[in-house]
Amino acid sequence: MNIVRSRKMNIRRAAAASSNADSGSHCHHSDGHVCLLSAARTNGENVSNHESMIEKSVEISSSPSLRPIKHRDGFPLRSKRFQAVFAMAMSLAIHLGGYELARAAVMALFTSDGLGFGKSHHTTSSSEGGLSALPIAVGCVSPFSILLLWFYAKTLVFGGPRYALQIHTMICAGAQIFCGWMLGALNRLLDPKTDGAALIIRGLPVGVKDVLPMSQPTLFLLFVFQNAYVQLLYNQHWAFISSVLTPDEGTKAFAPIAGLGSIGSTLSAGMVSTLVERFGLIRLLYMAGASFAMSALFANVAFGLARKHGFEPSGESEQRSDEKTFSNEQEDRPLDTKKHSNYANNSSRVSTKNIFRQAYTLFERVPVLGALFVEVIISQCLSSLVNYIFLYKLKVSITDDSMRAGWSGNFYAWINGISGVLQFFVIPILLKYCEAHRIWIFMPTLMLFCTMYQFGNNSYSGLFAASASFFAMKTMEYSLRGAANEMLYVSLDYESRYLGKKVISLIAGKFGKSAMAIALSVVMVVYGDRADTMWYLLATAVVFNCLWLLSSMRLHSLIKYHVNQ
């Protein structure tokens, strides 16, 4: 306060001196610089106005709480905001890399004969490779995501975004390491050279017949745990980045940040075969846990920089700022609109005892989130269906397991590579000449061409059409959808970015995939042997694609209305 007061006194002296000078003269300091105050007009009113403007700038620049995320003065590379965003982007890339390691290990163990759900334990044929249990596991992801969302809301309210991210990241890291240790101990029981007495001392059962009752539930829970947690942590990273960046900065930065995440996942996926050869499959879980812990360290650095320099997403300060901006926008609107906005602001402070009621209230207050919720459910249903059709065609076309695995690895490498190119180069250029909300119309339109082509040429299209549809879907999910989501969330308030984002990603996304996975498992059990089953699956894909297009058109109109307000 003393510094601000002395600056005000200097401003008044300079203003008084400039009022006594000629209107065309300039005051020169000893170092040759021109004093800007002497260029003001000499009448008392203009001097007073100029003095008031400078006082406001001094007060703003000297108050850390008034220098948060909303200023639009560029994004210099040496700024603390850039350092915080870069640290969080590195945390995101390391997190995605660790997830690739964990996913590779769990999927291989899930379908194994020794510890997983291999068919050789129950039938003479192992051609399905444990995939019969996979739809059930996918179906359980959505209920677990609901419990996870409830737990996340509790941690967010208790300690804020920084505490929530740290707690959930370390839980994820600890789960990988613990399950890796447990599966490693159970795997040693399968070795005939293992000393059973030593393992009895540790409290572990001895004998192959006793391994599966422990290993299968462990792998089942770990699969569900990973698929639910990856989206939660991913969205927490993006929530911080969206809070620190302005919408204009996000237009330039979101795509490269997503590209950095693609690089992390691509490098980890490419190293899987080498790491398995040198260290073994189960030790990938230890590496994944270490990666998650390192991701937590980078995230802690990002939040530390944000807190130290006054732009940390704290919830209360952002909510007050959002409510102040929203109330200013409502001043010239009818009375009923003001009443609704007051109700919305009051409802945002409701306790999180009922997460679903709070989400419903949020969707009423922000209709664009409700439209996005429906759009995500339909698109993820289609994604799960396209994925199943692709796997079915791949299995029919390439019968050798090793050749199929190699083909799939190269296929996913191309998906990650193309996604990275889009995120780094194409999307930033595209957003300069095209509004981001048009992406929501482009994605279902492109998929409609793919599914219609596959449906019309079902008899002879084979793997090419199925892989083209799946390639288009996954590439858009990894690149276009990520950029469009963040461009939408960055324009919304704190509650929408944190609570709304988690509800949509964990409930809508997982529910769509889980519902379609359960439906597919039932359909294939009942009608799997019929020759026209694929025709019905492709027809269903076209129907869901049309529903996706309709939901995207509604979402596009709401986003356009929101942008024009």
Side-chain angles (χ1 to χ4, degrees):
M1 291 299 297
N2 293 332
I3 296 175
V4 174
R5 191 173 302 167
S6 64
R7 288 184 179 178
K8 291 182 179 179
M9 294 298 295
N10 293 333
I11 291 170
R12 293 190 180 96
R13 294 193 189 99
S18 64
S19 65
N20 295 328
D22 294 334
S23 59
S25 62
H26 295 278
C27 175
H28 293 269
H29 294 288
S30 58
D31 57 357
H33 292 179
V34 180
C35 179
L36 295 178
L37 281 173
S38 63
R41 298 176 65 179
T42 58
N43 62 74
E45 181 181 355
N46 289 331
V47 170
S48 177
N49 290 338
H50 193 70
E51 176 185 343
S52 177
M53 292 175 60
I54 297 180
E55 288 178 5
K56 290 180 180 179
S57 66
V58 171
E59 292 174 0
I60 291 175
S61 63
S62 60
S63 176
S65 62
L66 297 179
R67 291 178 301 168
I69 57 181
K70 303 261 180 176
H71 62 284
R72 302 174 182 273
D73 56 343
F75 197 44
L77 297 182
R78 295 184 179 180
S79 68
K80 298 302 180 182
R81 288 197 307 128
F82 172 80
Q83 295 176 13
V85 169
F86 180 76
M88 188 59 71
M90 289 297 299
S91 175
L92 174 64
I94 296 172
H95 162 69
L96 293 177
Y99 172 71
E100 289 293 334
L101 297 177
R103 180 172 62 177
V106 172
M107 284 303 300
L109 293 170
F110 194 94
T111 58
S112 67
D113 293 339
L115 298 174
F117 296 87
K119 297 295 291 184
S120 60
H121 289 299
H122 308 287
T123 63
T124 57
S125 174
S126 60
S127 59
E128 295 186 18
L131 291 178
S132 58
L134 195 58
I136 303 175
V138 174
C140 293
V141 172
S142 184
F144 183 79
S145 298
I146 296 175
L147 296 176
L148 185 60
L149 180 62
W150 172 83
F151 179 52
Y152 167 79
K154 294 293 184 181
T155 56
L156 182 63
V157 171
F158 179 80
R162 182 178 189 173
Y163 175 80
L165 181 57
Q166 293 293 312
I167 287 295
H168 288 280
T169 303
M170 295 311 297
I171 288 175
C172 194
Q176 309 303 314
I177 295 173
F178 174 77
C179 291
W181 169 81
M182 187 172 181
L183 292 171
L186 293 174
N187 188 53
R188 287 195 295 271
L189 292 173
L190 302 177
D191 188 355
K193 298 180 181 179
T194 300
D195 184 5
L199 294 177
I200 291 176
I201 296 176
R202 300 180 187 178
L204 295 176
V206 180
V208 175
K209 64 179 181 180
D210 296 323
V211 168
L212 291 178
M214 296 185 66
S215 62
Q216 287 181 342
T218 300
L219 287 169
F220 189 92
L221 293 175
L222 187 57
F223 176 87
V224 175
F225 180 89
Q226 283 182 354
N227 281 271
Y229 246 110
V230 61
Q231 200 69 26
L232 174 70
L233 297 176
Y234 176 85
N235 284 314
Q236 287 189 65
H237 290 96
W238 274 110
F240 175 88
I241 296 171
S242 300
S243 297
V244 172
L245 297 179
T246 65
D248 292 338
E249 294 166 348
T251 303
K252 302 176 182 179
F254 284 152
I257 292 172
L260 187 62
S262 294
I263 290 176
S265 59
T266 302
L267 291 177
S268 295
M271 294 171 58
V272 166
S273 58
T274 303
L275 293 175
V276 169
E277 291 178 0
R278 296 193 60 180
F279 302 105
L281 187 61
I282 294 178
R283 291 184 181 177
L284 287 181
L285 295 175
Y286 292 103
M287 299 177 190
S291 298
F292 291 140
M294 186 178 298
S295 174
L297 292 177
F298 274 92
N300 191 55
V301 170
F303 273 103
L305 288 170
R307 173 175 293 183
K308 182 178 180 181
H309 298 281
F311 54 88
E312 180 185 13
S314 58
E316 294 181 1
S317 61
E318 282 198 57
Q319 220 169 357
R320 287 196 297 267
S321 176
D322 291 330
E323 291 171 1
K324 183 177 179 181
T325 302
F326 186 78
S327 62
N328 291 336
E329 292 174 352
Q330 299 293 325
E331 287 298 328
D332 298 329
R333 298 192 180 185
L335 182 61
D336 57 344
T337 307
K338 294 181 183 180
K339 184 177 180 181
H340 177 72
S341 67
N342 291 333
Y343 167 76
N345 289 334
N346 291 332
S347 65
S348 65
R349 302 185 184 96
V350 176
S351 174
T352 57
K353 291 182 179 180
N354 192 330
I355 188 68
F356 300 103
R357 181 178 300 174
Q358 190 177 11
Y360 179 78
T361 304
L362 176 62
F363 288 173
E364 278 191 331
R365 180 171 65 87
V366 188
V368 69
L369 290 180
L372 181 60
F373 185 87
V374 175
E375 188 272 343
V376 169
I377 289 179
I378 299 175
S379 65
Q380 291 307 305
C381 285
L382 178 62
S383 177
S384 182
L385 179 57
V386 170
N387 184 21
Y388 184 86
I389 294 173
F390 165 73
L391 293 175
Y392 183 88
K393 292 287 187 180
L394 178 62
K395 191 172 185 179
V396 171
S397 302
I398 305 176
T399 57
D400 184 78
D401 292 340
S402 59
M403 292 180 62
R404 185 168 61 249
W407 194 94
S408 299
N410 294 331
F411 183 77
Y412 276 99
W414 276 101
I415 289 177
N416 288 325
I418 297 298
S419 300
V421 172
L422 290 174
Q423 291 160 343
F424 271 112
F425 304 107
V426 178
I427 295 179
I429 298 175
L430 180 66
L431 292 178
K432 291 181 179 179
Y433 303 99
C434 178
E435 296 176 333
H437 56 81
R438 299 186 184 277
I439 295 177
W440 298 104
I441 300 296
F442 172 78
M443 291 189 294
T445 302
L446 177 60
M447 279 304 301
L448 185 60
F449 283 109
C450 295
T451 53
M452 287 293 293
Y453 173 81
Q454 191 176 0
F455 177 73
N457 300 275
N458 177 41
S459 58
Y460 57 88
S461 59
L463 181 60
F464 172 77
S467 59
S469 297
F470 184 67
F471 187 93
M473 191 72 184
K474 301 306 291 185
T475 302
M476 289 190 297
E477 286 182 355
Y478 291 166
S479 56
L480 292 177
R481 175 173 286 275
N485 279 339
E486 299 312 318
M487 290 302 299
L488 172 59
Y489 285 120
V490 77
S491 63
L492 301 178
D493 57 16
Y494 171 84
E495 190 180 17
S496 299
R497 287 196 300 270
Y498 280 88
L499 177 62
K501 199 173 190 179
K502 304 308 175 296
V503 170
I504 291 173
S505 63
L506 289 179
I507 296 182
K510 301 304 180 184
F511 175 79
K513 288 186 176 180
S514 298
M516 182 57 69
I518 294 174
L520 286 173
S521 62
V522 173
V523 168
M524 296 309 294
V525 168
V526 178
Y527 302 105
D529 295 334
R530 293 179 53 175
D532 57 350
T533 300
M534 183 54 60
W535 186 91
Y536 284 107
L537 291 178
L538 293 174
T540 305
V542 174
V543 171
F544 271 93
N545 209 146
C546 294
L547 294 175
W548 183 22
L549 181 59
L550 293 175
S551 64
S552 297
M553 291 173 64
R554 180 174 181 271
L555 175 62
H556 172 266
S557 63
L558 289 175
I559 295 175
K560 190 175 180 180
Y561 175 80
H562 175 77
V563 170
N564 293 331
Q565 291 299 307

